[in-house]
């Protein structure tokens, strides 16, 4: 089954309607997620519930805004990253799991970031849905890794700044409507996101010297805070200009 999985996912993503392909890929990944969770985490409830929620929300977004006739491998890869995110969420509550497994899954999910965008451009399937889906998976990955670092005792609560800045921004937008306006594309924003996730993975890596934990976390948090502050200033000054 595992040898044929990549071919099955690719065939499902390409041969059905977008929603059908999305649900088909999600079903395959859910089976693999359940298998991995049962064998490595001893429980699959948390990963499967989170993955189901992601699939439901993303599926709604797909129906509402996706404009292409096929799902494409690009969105299937993002869905695969979402399944890895769900597995890592389960790992937060599985202290017996080897840190090497956590690091390997997180690194793979991070390495696949950009692959989905490259596939979308190559297949002419670029979409606002795909970009938003990819961004939200990135945000979720950062949040889950920061929670794992906190629960494992690797860092203190300050690491949550790296994981939950995006969600704090979204929460603030409900009481500060100016923050709800769309932001223009930004290389700075993309670069800082890469630095954020890379720093979190470096903190997971078992061979990272303990002396580097605090400096790496602080530097990444400062850069991320500066990036969000720049966006807040742009949105608020534009609103009042």
């Amino acid at each position: 089954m595992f040898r044929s999985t990549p071919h099955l996912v690719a065939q499902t993503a390409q041969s059905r309607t977008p929603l059908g392909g999305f649900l088909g890929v999600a079903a395959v990944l859910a089976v693999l997620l359940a298998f991995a969770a049962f064998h490595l985490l001893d429980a699959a409830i948390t990963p499967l519930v989170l993955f189901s929620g992601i699939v439901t929300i993303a599926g709604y977004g797909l129906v509402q805004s996706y404009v292409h006739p096929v799902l494409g491998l690009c969105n299937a890869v993002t869905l695969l990253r979402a399944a890895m995110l769900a597995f890592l969420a389960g790992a937060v509550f599985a202290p017996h799991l080897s840190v090497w497994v956590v690091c390997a899954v997180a690194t793979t999910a991070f390495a696949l970031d950009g692959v989905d965008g490259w596939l979308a451009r190559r297949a002419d399937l670029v979409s606002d849905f795909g970009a938003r889906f990819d961004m939200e998976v990135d945000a979720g990955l950062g949040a889950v890794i920061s929670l794992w670092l906190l629960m494992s005792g690797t860092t203190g609560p300050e690491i949550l700044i790296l994981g939950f800045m995006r969600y704090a921004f979204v929460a603030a937008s409900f009481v500060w409507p100016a923050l709800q306006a769309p932001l223009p594309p930004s290389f700075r924003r993309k670069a800082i996101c890469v630095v954020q996730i890379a720093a979190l993975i470096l903190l997971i890596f078992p061979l990272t010297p303990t002396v580097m934990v605090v400096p790496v976390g602080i530097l990444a948090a400062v850069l991320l805070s500066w990036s969000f502050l720049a966006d807040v200033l742009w949105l608020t000054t534009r609103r009042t200009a």
Side-chain angles (χ1 to χ4, degrees):
M1 180 180 72
F2 294 101
R3 291 181 179 179
S4 63
T5 296
H7 174 72
L8 179 59
V9 169
Q11 186 179 44
T12 302
Q14 297 290 358
S15 63
R16 298 186 179 184
T17 63
L19 182 59
F22 185 83
L23 295 177
V25 173
V28 173
L29 293 176
V31 171
L32 296 177
L33 177 61
F35 181 87
F38 274 122
H39 284 78
L40 296 175
L41 307 177
D42 296 333
I45 295 177
T46 298
L48 288 177
V49 168
L50 178 57
F51 187 61
S52 297
I54 293 172
V55 169
T56 300
I57 295 171
Y60 176 79
L62 181 81
V63 171
Q64 293 297 311
S65 64
Y66 192 66
V67 297
H68 299 293
V70 294
L71 180 70
L73 283 174
C74 49
N75 294 304
V77 168
T78 309
L79 195 53
L80 172 61
R81 295 179 64 234
M84 293 179 179
L85 159 63
F87 177 85
L88 290 172
V92 171
F93 305 101
H96 63 279
L97 183 66
S98 169
V99 63
W100 287 104
V101 174
V102 175
C103 187
V105 175
T107 302
T108 302
F110 176 56
L112 288 174
D113 188 24
V115 173
D116 43 12
W118 177 81
L119 287 170
R121 291 187 295 272
R122 186 169 181 265
D124 196 23
L125 293 175
V126 175
S127 67
D128 290 339
F129 163 79
R132 181 64 181 269
F133 189 21
D134 181 64
M135 180 185 70
E136 296 299 344
V137 170
D138 286 340
L141 186 62
V144 167
I145 294 175
S146 68
L147 281 175
W148 186 91
L149 287 166
L150 176 63
M151 296 295 289
S152 67
T154 305
T155 65
E158 67 278 358
I159 197 64
L160 299 181
I161 294 174
L162 276 181
F164 287 87
M165 184 74 75
R166 156 73 179 163
Y167 299 108
F169 179 86
V170 172
S173 71
F174 287 102
V175 295
W176 197 356
L179 301 184
Q180 297 178 15
L183 287 161
S186 168
F187 175 78
R188 177 258 306 163
R189 199 178 302 118
K190 293 177 180 178
I192 296 298
C193 180
V194 171
V195 170
Q196 171 198 8
I197 304 299
L200 289 168
I201 291 176
L202 182 61
L203 296 179
I204 291 177
F205 187 55
L207 301 183
T208 298
T210 304
V211 70
M212 289 183 60
V213 171
V214 173
V216 167
I218 290 176
L219 178 59
V222 168
L223 289 173
L224 186 64
S225 299
W226 165 72
S227 181
F228 272 96
L229 178 60
D231 287 339
V232 169
L233 290 175
W234 187 90
L235 288 168
T236 53
T237 56
R238 173 178 175 270
R239 177 85 176 197
T240 57

